[in-house]
Each structure stands twice: as structure tokens, then as C-alpha cells.
Coordinates of all heavy atoms in Angstrom, one line a residue:
A30 N -107.1 167.4 85.5 CA -106.5 167.5 86.9 C -105.4 166.5 87.0 O -105.6 165.3 86.7 CB -107.6 167.4 87.9
E31 N -104.3 166.9 87.5 CA -103.2 165.9 87.7 C -103.4 165.1 89.0 O -103.0 164.0 89.1 CB -101.9 166.7 87.7 CG -101.6 167.3 86.3 CD -100.3 168.0 86.3 OE1 -99.5 167.9 87.2 OE2 -100.2 168.8 85.3
A32 N -104.0 165.7 90.0 CA -104.3 165.0 91.3 C -105.6 164.2 91.2 O -106.6 164.8 90.9 CB -104.3 165.9 92.4
P33 N -105.6 162.9 91.4 CA -106.8 162.1 91.3 C -108.0 162.7 92.1 O -109.1 162.6 91.7 CB -106.4 160.7 91.7 CG -105.0 160.6 91.4 CD -104.5 162.1 91.7
Q34 N -107.7 163.2 93.3 CA -108.8 163.7 94.1 C -109.5 165.0 93.6 O -110.5 165.3 94.1 CB -108.3 163.9 95.6 CG -107.2 164.9 95.7 CD -105.8 164.4 95.6 OE1 -105.6 163.4 95.0 NE2 -104.9 165.1 96.2
T35 N -108.9 165.6 92.6 CA -109.5 166.8 92.1 C -110.1 166.6 90.7 O -110.6 167.5 90.1 CB -108.5 168.0 92.0 OG1 -107.4 167.7 91.1 CG2 -108.0 168.4 93.4
R36 N -110.1 165.4 90.2 CA -110.6 165.1 88.9 C -112.2 165.1 88.9 O -112.8 164.7 89.9 CB -110.1 163.7 88.4 CG -108.7 163.7 88.1 CD -108.2 162.5 87.5 NE -106.8 162.6 87.3 CZ -106.0 161.5 87.3 NH1 -106.4 160.3 87.5 NH2 -104.7 161.7 87.1
S37 N -112.7 165.5 87.8 CA -114.2 165.6 87.7 C -114.6 164.8 86.5 O -113.9 164.8 85.4 CB -114.6 167.1 87.5 OG -115.9 167.1 87.1
N38 N -115.7 164.1 86.6 CA -116.2 163.4 85.4 C -117.3 164.2 84.7 O -117.9 163.7 83.7 CB -116.7 162.0 85.7 CG -117.8 162.0 86.7 OD1 -118.2 163.0 87.2 ND2 -118.3 160.8 87.0
T39 N -117.6 165.4 85.2 CA -118.6 166.2 84.6 C -117.9 167.5 83.9 O -118.3 167.8 82.8 CB -119.6 166.7 85.6 OG1 -119.0 167.4 86.6 CG2 -120.4 165.6 86.1
S40 N -116.9 168.1 84.5 CA -116.2 169.2 83.9 C -114.8 168.7 83.5 O -113.9 168.8 84.3 CB -116.2 170.4 84.8 OG -115.6 171.5 84.2
V41 N -114.7 168.2 82.3 CA -113.4 167.5 81.9 C -112.5 168.6 81.4 O -112.8 169.3 80.4 CB -113.7 166.4 80.9 CG1 -112.4 165.8 80.4 CG2 -114.6 165.3 81.5
C42 N -111.3 168.7 82.0 CA -110.3 169.6 81.5 C -109.2 168.9 80.8 O -108.7 167.9 81.2 CB -109.7 170.4 82.7 SG -111.0 171.3 83.6
L43 N -108.8 169.5 79.6 CA -107.7 169.0 78.8 C -106.6 170.0 78.7 O -106.9 171.2 78.6 CB -108.3 168.7 77.4 CG -109.5 167.8 77.3 CD1 -110.0 167.7 75.9 CD2 -109.2 166.4 77.9
K44 N -105.4 169.5 78.7 CA -104.2 170.4 78.6 C -103.4 169.9 77.4 O -103.2 168.7 77.2 CB -103.4 170.3 79.9 CG -102.1 171.1 79.9 CD -101.5 171.1 81.2 CE -101.0 169.7 81.7 NZ -100.2 169.7 82.9
F45 N -103.0 170.9 76.6 CA -102.2 170.6 75.4 C -100.7 170.5 75.8 O -100.2 171.4 76.5 CB -102.3 171.6 74.3 CG -103.7 171.6 73.7 CD1 -104.6 172.7 74.0 CD2 -104.1 170.7 72.9 CE1 -105.8 172.7 73.5 CE2 -105.4 170.7 72.3 CZ -106.3 171.7 72.7
T46 N -100.1 169.4 75.5 CA -98.7 169.1 76.0 C -97.7 169.0 74.8 O -96.5 168.7 75.0 CB -98.6 167.9 76.9 OG1 -99.0 166.8 76.2 CG2 -99.4 168.1 78.1
D47 N -98.2 169.1 73.6 CA -97.4 169.0 72.4 C -96.2 170.0 72.4 O -96.4 171.2 72.6 CB -98.2 169.2 71.1 CG -97.5 168.7 69.9 OD1 -96.5 169.4 69.5 OD2 -97.9 167.8 69.3
P48 N -95.0 169.5 72.2 CA -93.8 170.5 72.3 C -93.8 171.5 71.2 O -93.1 172.5 71.3 CB -92.6 169.6 72.2 CG -93.1 168.3 71.5 CD -94.5 168.2 72.0
R49 N -94.6 171.4 70.2 CA -94.7 172.4 69.1 C -95.5 173.6 69.5 O -95.5 174.6 68.9 CB -95.3 171.8 67.8 CG -94.5 170.7 67.2 CD -95.2 170.0 66.1 NE -96.3 169.2 66.7 CZ -97.2 168.5 66.0 NH1 -97.0 168.4 64.6 NH2 -98.1 167.8 66.5
I50 N -96.2 173.5 70.7 CA -97.0 174.6 71.1 C -96.2 175.5 72.0 O -95.8 175.2 73.1 CB -98.3 174.1 71.9 CG1 -99.1 173.2 71.0 CG2 -99.1 175.2 72.5 CD1 -100.2 172.4 71.7
A51 N -96.0 176.8 71.5 CA -95.2 177.7 72.3 C -96.1 178.5 73.3 O -95.6 178.8 74.4 CB -94.6 178.7 71.3
D52 N -97.3 178.8 73.0 CA -98.2 179.6 73.8 C -99.4 178.7 74.1 O -100.4 178.7 73.3 CB -98.6 180.9 73.1 CG -99.6 181.7 73.9 OD1 -99.9 181.4 75.1 OD2 -100.2 182.7 73.3
G53 N -99.4 178.0 75.2 CA -100.5 177.1 75.6 C -101.8 177.8 75.7 O -102.8 177.3 75.2
A54 N -101.9 179.0 76.3 CA -103.1 179.7 76.5 C -103.7 180.1 75.1 O -104.9 180.0 74.9 CB -102.9 180.8 77.4
G55 N -102.8 180.7 74.3 CA -103.3 181.2 73.0 C -103.7 180.1 72.1 O -104.7 180.2 71.4
F56 N -103.0 179.0 72.2 CA -103.3 177.8 71.4 C -104.7 177.3 71.8 O -105.5 177.0 70.9 CB -102.2 176.7 71.5 CG -102.4 175.6 70.6 CD1 -102.0 175.6 69.3 CD2 -103.1 174.4 71.1 CE1 -102.2 174.5 68.5 CE2 -103.3 173.3 70.2 CZ -102.8 173.4 68.9
A57 N -104.9 177.1 73.1 CA -106.2 176.6 73.6 C -107.3 177.5 73.2 O -108.4 177.0 72.8 CB -106.1 176.4 75.1
R58 N -107.1 178.8 73.3 CA -108.2 179.7 72.9 C -108.5 179.6 71.4 O -109.7 179.6 71.0 CB -107.8 181.2 73.2 CG -108.0 181.5 74.7 CD -107.8 183.0 74.9 NE -106.6 183.6 74.4 CZ -105.4 183.6 75.2 NH1 -105.4 183.1 76.4 NH2 -104.3 184.1 74.7
A59 N -107.5 179.4 70.6 CA -107.7 179.3 69.1 C -108.4 178.0 68.8 O -109.3 178.0 68.0 CB -106.3 179.3 68.4
V60 N -108.1 176.9 69.5 CA -108.8 175.6 69.3 C -110.2 175.8 69.7 O -111.1 175.4 69.0 CB -108.1 174.5 70.0 CG1 -109.0 173.2 70.0 CG2 -106.7 174.2 69.4
A61 N -110.5 176.4 70.8 CA -111.9 176.6 71.3 C -112.7 177.4 70.3 O -113.8 177.1 70.0 CB -111.9 177.2 72.7
R62 N -112.0 178.5 69.8 CA -112.7 179.3 68.8 C -113.1 178.5 67.5 O -114.2 178.7 67.0 CB -111.9 180.5 68.4 CG -111.9 181.7 69.4 CD -111.3 183.0 68.9 NE -110.0 182.8 68.4 CZ -108.9 183.0 69.2 NH1 -109.0 183.3 70.4 NH2 -107.7 182.8 68.7
R63 N -112.1 177.7 67.1 CA -112.4 176.9 65.9 C -113.6 176.0 66.1 O -114.4 175.8 65.3 CB -111.2 176.1 65.5 CG -110.3 176.6 64.5 CD -109.2 175.7 64.1 NE -108.1 176.4 63.6 CZ -107.9 176.7 62.3 NH1 -108.9 176.4 61.4 NH2 -106.9 177.4 61.9
L64 N -113.6 175.3 67.3 CA -114.6 174.4 67.6 C -116.0 175.1 67.6 O -117.0 174.6 67.2 CB -114.3 173.7 68.9 CG -113.2 172.7 68.9 CD1 -112.9 172.2 70.3 CD2 -113.4 171.5 68.0
E65 N -116.0 176.3 68.2 CA -117.2 177.0 68.3 C -117.7 177.5 66.9 O -118.9 177.4 66.6 CB -117.1 178.2 69.3 CG -118.4 178.9 69.5 CD -118.4 179.6 70.9 OE1 -117.6 179.3 71.7 OE2 -119.3 180.5 71.0
R66 N -116.8 178.0 66.1 CA -117.2 178.4 64.8 C -117.8 177.3 64.0 O -118.7 177.5 63.2 CB -116.0 179.0 64.0 CG -115.6 180.4 64.3 CD -114.7 181.0 63.2 NE -113.5 180.1 63.0 CZ -112.3 180.3 63.6 NH1 -112.1 181.2 64.5 NH2 -111.3 179.5 63.3
E67 N -117.4 176.1 64.2 CA -117.9 174.9 63.4 C -119.2 174.4 64.1 O -119.8 173.4 63.6 CB -116.9 173.9 63.3 CG -115.7 174.3 62.5 CD -116.0 174.6 61.1 OE1 -116.9 173.9 60.5 OE2 -115.4 175.5 60.5
G68 N -119.5 174.9 65.3 CA -120.7 174.3 66.0 C -120.4 173.0 66.7 O -121.3 172.3 67.0
A69 N -119.1 172.7 66.8 CA -118.7 171.3 67.3 C -118.6 171.3 68.9 O -118.8 170.3 69.5 CB -117.4 170.9 66.7
A70 N -118.4 172.5 69.5 CA -118.3 172.6 70.9 C -118.5 174.1 71.3 O -117.9 174.9 70.7 CB -116.9 172.1 71.4
L71 N -119.3 174.3 72.3 CA -119.5 175.7 72.7 C -118.9 175.9 74.1 O -119.0 175.0 74.9 CB -121.0 175.9 72.7 CG -121.8 175.7 71.4 CD1 -123.3 175.9 71.6 CD2 -121.3 176.6 70.3
D72 N -118.4 177.1 74.3 CA -117.8 177.5 75.6 C -116.8 176.4 76.1 O -116.9 176.0 77.2 CB -119.0 177.7 76.6 CG -118.5 178.4 77.8 OD1 -117.5 179.1 77.8 OD2 -119.1 178.2 78.9
A73 N -115.9 176.0 75.2 CA -114.9 175.0 75.6 C -113.6 175.5 76.2 O -112.8 174.8 76.6 CB -114.6 174.1 74.4
G74 N -113.5 176.9 76.3 CA -112.3 177.4 76.8 C -112.2 177.2 78.3 O -113.2 177.1 79.0
A75 N -111.0 177.1 78.8 CA -110.7 176.9 80.3 C -111.1 178.1 81.1 O -111.2 179.3 80.5 CB -109.3 176.6 80.5
Y76 N -111.4 178.0 82.3 CA -111.7 179.1 83.2 C -110.5 179.9 83.3 O -109.3 179.4 83.2 CB -112.1 178.6 84.6 CG -113.5 178.0 84.6 CD1 -113.7 176.7 85.2 CD2 -114.6 178.6 84.1 CE1 -114.9 176.1 85.3 CE2 -115.9 178.0 84.1 CZ -116.0 176.8 84.7 OH -117.2 176.2 84.7
R77 N -110.6 181.2 83.6 CA -109.5 182.1 83.8 C -108.4 181.6 84.8 O -107.3 181.8 84.6 CB -109.9 183.5 84.2 CG -110.4 184.4 83.0 CD -110.7 185.7 83.5 NE -111.8 185.6 84.5 CZ -112.8 186.4 84.6 NH1 -112.8 187.5 83.9 NH2 -113.8 186.2 85.4
D78 N -108.9 181.1 85.9 CA -107.9 180.7 86.9 C -107.5 179.2 86.8 O -106.7 178.7 87.6 CB -108.5 180.9 88.3 CG -109.8 180.2 88.5 OD1 -110.5 179.7 87.6 OD2 -110.3 180.1 89.7
A79 N -107.9 178.6 85.7 CA -107.5 177.2 85.4 C -106.3 177.2 84.5 O -106.0 178.2 83.9 CB -108.6 176.4 84.8
P80 N -105.5 176.1 84.5 CA -104.4 176.1 83.6 C -104.9 176.2 82.1 O -106.0 175.8 81.9 CB -103.8 174.7 83.8 CG -104.3 174.3 85.2 CD -105.6 175.0 85.4
P81 N -104.0 176.7 81.2 CA -104.5 176.8 79.8 C -104.9 175.5 79.3 O -104.3 174.4 79.5 CB -103.2 177.3 79.1 CG -102.3 177.8 80.2 CD -102.7 177.1 81.4
G82 N -106.0 175.4 78.6 CA -106.5 174.2 78.0 C -108.0 174.4 77.6 O -108.5 175.5 77.4
L83 N -108.6 173.2 77.5 CA -110.1 173.2 77.2 C -110.8 172.6 78.4 O -110.3 171.8 79.2 CB -110.3 172.4 76.0 CG -109.6 172.8 74.7 CD1 -110.0 171.8 73.6 CD2 -110.0 174.2 74.3
R84 N -112.1 173.0 78.5 CA -113.0 172.5 79.5 C -114.2 172.0 78.8 O -114.9 172.8 78.1 CB -113.4 173.6 80.6 CG -114.3 173.1 81.6 CD -114.8 174.2 82.5 NE -115.1 175.4 81.7 CZ -116.3 175.6 81.1 NH1 -117.2 174.7 81.2 NH2 -116.6 176.7 80.5
L85 N -114.5 170.7 78.9 CA -115.7 170.1 78.2 C -116.7 169.7 79.3 O -116.4 168.9 80.2 CB -115.2 168.9 77.4 CG -114.1 169.2 76.4 CD1 -113.6 167.9 75.7 CD2 -114.5 170.3 75.4
W86 N -117.9 170.2 79.1 CA -119.0 169.7 80.0 C -119.4 168.3 79.6 O -119.8 168.1 78.5 CB -120.1 170.7 80.0 CG -121.2 170.3 80.9 CD1 -122.5 169.9 80.5 CD2 -121.2 170.2 82.3 NE1 -123.2 169.6 81.6 CE2 -122.5 169.8 82.7 CE3 -120.2 170.5 83.3 CZ2 -122.8 169.6 84.1 CZ3 -120.5 170.3 84.6 CH2 -121.8 169.9 85.0
C87 N -119.4 167.4 80.5 CA -119.8 166.0 80.3 C -120.8 165.6 81.3 O -120.8 164.4 81.7 CB -118.5 165.1 80.3 SG -117.4 165.5 78.9
G88 N -121.5 166.5 81.8 CA -122.5 166.2 82.9 C -123.7 165.4 82.3 O -123.8 165.0 81.2
A89 N -124.7 165.3 83.2 CA -125.9 164.4 82.9 C -126.7 165.0 81.8 O -127.4 164.2 81.2 CB -126.8 164.4 84.2
T90 N -126.5 166.2 81.4 CA -127.3 166.8 80.3 C -126.6 166.6 78.9 O -127.2 167.0 77.9 CB -127.6 168.3 80.5 OG1 -126.3 168.9 80.6 CG2 -128.4 168.5 81.8
V91 N -125.5 165.9 78.9 CA -124.7 165.7 77.7 C -124.8 164.2 77.4 O -124.4 163.4 78.2 CB -123.3 166.2 77.8 CG1 -122.5 165.9 76.6 CG2 -123.3 167.7 78.2
E92 N -125.1 163.9 76.1 CA -125.1 162.5 75.7 C -123.7 162.1 75.3 O -123.0 162.9 74.7 CB -126.0 162.4 74.4 CG -127.5 162.7 74.7 CD -128.1 161.6 75.6 OE1 -127.7 160.5 75.6 OE2 -129.1 162.0 76.3
L93 N -123.4 160.9 75.6 CA -122.1 160.3 75.3 C -121.8 160.4 73.8 O -120.7 160.8 73.3 CB -122.0 158.8 75.7 CG -120.7 158.1 75.3 CD1 -119.5 158.7 75.9 CD2 -120.8 156.6 75.7
A94 N -122.8 160.2 73.0 CA -122.7 160.3 71.5 C -122.3 161.7 71.1 O -121.5 161.8 70.1 CB -124.0 159.8 70.8
D95 N -122.7 162.7 71.8 CA -122.4 164.1 71.4 C -120.9 164.3 71.7 O -120.2 164.9 70.9 CB -123.2 165.1 72.2 CG -124.7 165.1 71.7 OD1 -124.9 164.7 70.6 OD2 -125.5 165.5 72.5
V96 N -120.4 163.8 72.8 CA -119.0 163.9 73.1 C -118.1 163.1 72.1 O -117.1 163.6 71.6 CB -118.6 163.4 74.6 CG1 -117.2 163.5 74.8 CG2 -119.4 164.3 75.6
Q97 N -118.6 161.9 71.8 CA -117.9 161.1 70.8 C -117.9 161.8 69.4 O -116.9 161.8 68.7 CB -118.5 159.8 70.7 CG -118.3 158.9 71.9 CD -119.1 157.6 71.9 OE1 -120.2 157.6 71.4 NE2 -118.5 156.6 72.5
A98 N -119.0 162.5 69.1 CA -119.0 163.2 67.8 C -118.1 164.4 67.8 O -117.6 164.8 66.7 CB -120.5 163.6 67.5
M99 N -117.9 165.0 68.9 CA -117.0 166.2 69.0 C -115.5 165.8 68.9 O -114.7 166.6 68.4 CB -117.3 166.9 70.3 CG -116.5 168.2 70.5 SD -114.8 168.0 71.2 CE -115.1 167.0 72.7
L100 N -115.1 164.6 69.3 CA -113.7 164.3 69.3 C -113.0 164.4 68.0 O -111.9 164.9 67.9 CB -113.5 162.9 70.0 CG -113.9 162.8 71.5 CD1 -113.8 161.4 72.0 CD2 -113.0 163.8 72.3
P101 N -113.6 163.9 66.9 CA -112.9 164.2 65.6 C -112.7 165.6 65.3 O -111.7 166.0 64.7 CB -113.8 163.5 64.6 CG -114.6 162.5 65.3 CD -114.7 163.1 66.7
W102 N -113.7 166.5 65.7 CA -113.6 167.9 65.5 C -112.4 168.5 66.3 O -111.7 169.3 65.9 CB -114.9 168.6 65.9 CG -115.9 168.4 64.8 CD1 -117.0 167.6 64.9 CD2 -116.0 169.1 63.6 NE1 -117.7 167.7 63.8 CE2 -117.2 168.7 63.0 CE3 -115.3 170.1 63.0 CZ2 -117.6 169.2 61.7 CZ3 -115.7 170.6 61.8 CH2 -116.8 170.1 61.2
L103 N -112.2 167.9 67.5 CA -111.1 168.4 68.4 C -109.8 168.0 67.7 O -108.9 168.8 67.7 CB -111.3 167.7 69.8 CG -110.1 168.0 70.7 CD1 -109.9 169.5 71.0 CD2 -110.4 167.3 72.1
D104 N -109.7 166.8 67.2 CA -108.5 166.4 66.5 C -108.2 167.3 65.3 O -107.1 167.8 65.1 CB -108.7 164.9 66.0 CG -107.4 164.4 65.4 OD1 -106.4 164.4 66.1 OD2 -107.5 163.9 64.3
W105 N -109.3 167.6 64.5 CA -109.2 168.5 63.4 C -108.7 169.9 63.8 O -107.8 170.5 63.2 CB -110.5 168.6 62.6 CG -110.5 169.7 61.7 CD1 -110.0 169.7 60.4 CD2 -111.1 171.0 61.9 NE1 -110.2 171.0 59.8 CE2 -110.9 171.8 60.7 CE3 -111.8 171.6 63.0 CZ2 -111.4 173.1 60.6 CZ3 -112.2 172.9 62.9 CH2 -112.0 173.6 61.7
A106 N -109.3 170.5 64.8 CA -109.0 171.8 65.3 C -107.5 171.9 65.8 O -106.8 172.8 65.5 CB -109.9 172.3 66.4
F107 N -107.1 170.8 66.5 CA -105.7 170.7 67.0 C -104.7 170.8 65.8 O -103.8 171.6 65.8 CB -105.5 169.5 67.8 CG -104.1 169.2 68.1 CD1 -103.5 169.8 69.2 CD2 -103.3 168.3 67.4 CE1 -102.2 169.6 69.5 CE2 -102.0 168.1 67.7 CZ -101.4 168.7 68.8
H108 N -105.0 169.9 64.8 CA -104.0 169.9 63.7 C -104.1 171.1 62.8 O -103.1 171.5 62.3 CB -104.3 168.6 62.9 CG -103.9 167.4 63.6 ND1 -102.5 167.0 63.8 CD2 -104.6 166.4 64.2 CE1 -102.5 165.9 64.5 NE2 -103.7 165.5 64.7
A109 N -105.3 171.7 62.7 CA -105.4 173.0 62.0 C -104.6 174.1 62.6 O -103.9 174.9 62.0 CB -106.8 173.4 61.8
E110 N -104.6 174.2 64.0 CA -103.9 175.2 64.7 C -102.4 174.9 64.6 O -101.6 175.8 64.5 CB -104.3 175.3 66.1 CG -105.7 176.0 66.3 CD -105.7 177.4 65.7 OE1 -104.7 178.1 65.8 OE2 -106.7 177.7 65.1
I111 N -102.0 173.6 64.7 CA -100.5 173.3 64.6 C -100.0 173.7 63.2 O -99.0 174.3 63.1 CB -100.3 171.8 64.8 CG1 -100.5 171.4 66.3 CG2 -99.0 171.3 64.3 CD1 -99.4 171.9 67.2
A112 N -100.8 173.4 62.1 CA -100.4 173.8 60.8 C -100.3 175.3 60.6 O -99.4 175.8 60.0 CB -101.4 173.2 59.8
Q113 N -101.3 176.0 61.2 CA -101.3 177.5 61.1 C -100.0 178.0 61.8 O -99.4 179.0 61.3 CB -102.5 178.1 61.7 CG -102.6 179.6 61.5 CD -104.0 180.1 61.9 OE1 -105.0 179.4 61.7 NE2 -104.0 181.3 62.4
A114 N -99.7 177.5 63.0 CA -98.5 177.9 63.7 C -97.2 177.7 62.9 O -96.3 178.5 62.9 CB -98.4 177.3 65.1
A115 N -97.2 176.5 62.2 CA -96.0 176.2 61.4 C -95.8 177.1 60.2 O -94.7 177.5 59.9 CB -96.1 174.7 60.9
E116 N -97.0 177.5 59.6 CA -96.9 178.4 58.5 C -96.5 179.8 59.0 O -95.8 180.5 58.2 CB -98.3 178.6 57.9 CG -98.8 177.4 57.1 CD -100.2 177.5 56.6 OE1 -100.8 178.6 56.6 OE2 -100.7 176.5 56.1
A117 N -96.8 180.2 60.2 CA -96.5 181.5 60.7 C -95.0 181.6 61.1 O -94.5 182.7 61.1 CB -97.4 181.9 61.8
A118 N -94.4 180.5 61.4 CA -93.0 180.4 61.8 C -92.0 180.6 60.7 O -92.2 180.6 59.6 CB -92.7 179.1 62.5

């Protein structure tokens, strides 16, 4: 969330801003699919009416260590999708 008053510390939303990304919604869906296939994050896609990106549940039922363990996977999925887009171009 760009406005501080709408930020959530339980449903964390991430937006990809890299200029190499042409289709933000498609890119975010592909990253979410990669994370799910690897078992690193489940249901990480943004809501339909939310801006394109990822939504990570960080509520009381999620351990900090689990979020920390997912972050390298997120980095990997991001770079894998960037590489795949570069190959397709």
C-alpha cells in the first residue's frame, strides 16, 4: 500500500517495479505459480481488485522464520521470470 493508513502488517502486498517487466499482472502470476510449484509460498497472488503483485499472509499463524525462508525463493522466482522474459524477447 502506498498510503500509510492502508498498510497492513498481516496481509503484505508487494508490487514489482523493475523496468524490465512489461506485463506486471502476468509477471506476478508467473512468480506466484513458481513459488507454489516449489512449495515456497501458497496462494501468493494478489486479489483481483488489487494492483498486480503478490500478497503474502504474515498474520499470527505465520512464523517469522517461515517468511524469512521464503524470501530467497522469492528472489529466485523473480530472477527466473526475468531470465525467461529476456529469452522470449
Side-chain angles (χ1 to χ4, degrees):
E31 294 180 14
Q34 64 271 24
T35 62
R36 290 184 183 150
S37 170
N38 60 357
T39 57
S40 183
V41 177
C42 297
L43 306 174
K44 176 172 67 172
F45 294 106
T46 60
D47 191 293
R49 296 172 289 181
I50 299 169
D52 174 12
F56 186 85
R58 282 191 302 275
V60 168
R62 279 193 304 270
R63 263 186 205 273
L64 292 171
E65 187 153 342
R66 276 195 310 266
E67 295 298 326
L71 302 176
D72 194 27
Y76 291 130
R77 277 184 296 215
D78 57 345
L83 301 178
R84 179 188 45 81
L85 306 174
W86 179 248
C87 295
T90 59
V91 176
E92 296 291 332
L93 175 60
D95 291 336
V96 176
Q97 291 170 328
M99 183 274 309
L100 293 176
W102 285 101
L103 176 57
D104 186 58
W105 166 80
F107 170 83
H108 288 291
E110 287 302 321
I111 288 291
Q113 185 171 328
E116 288 176 11

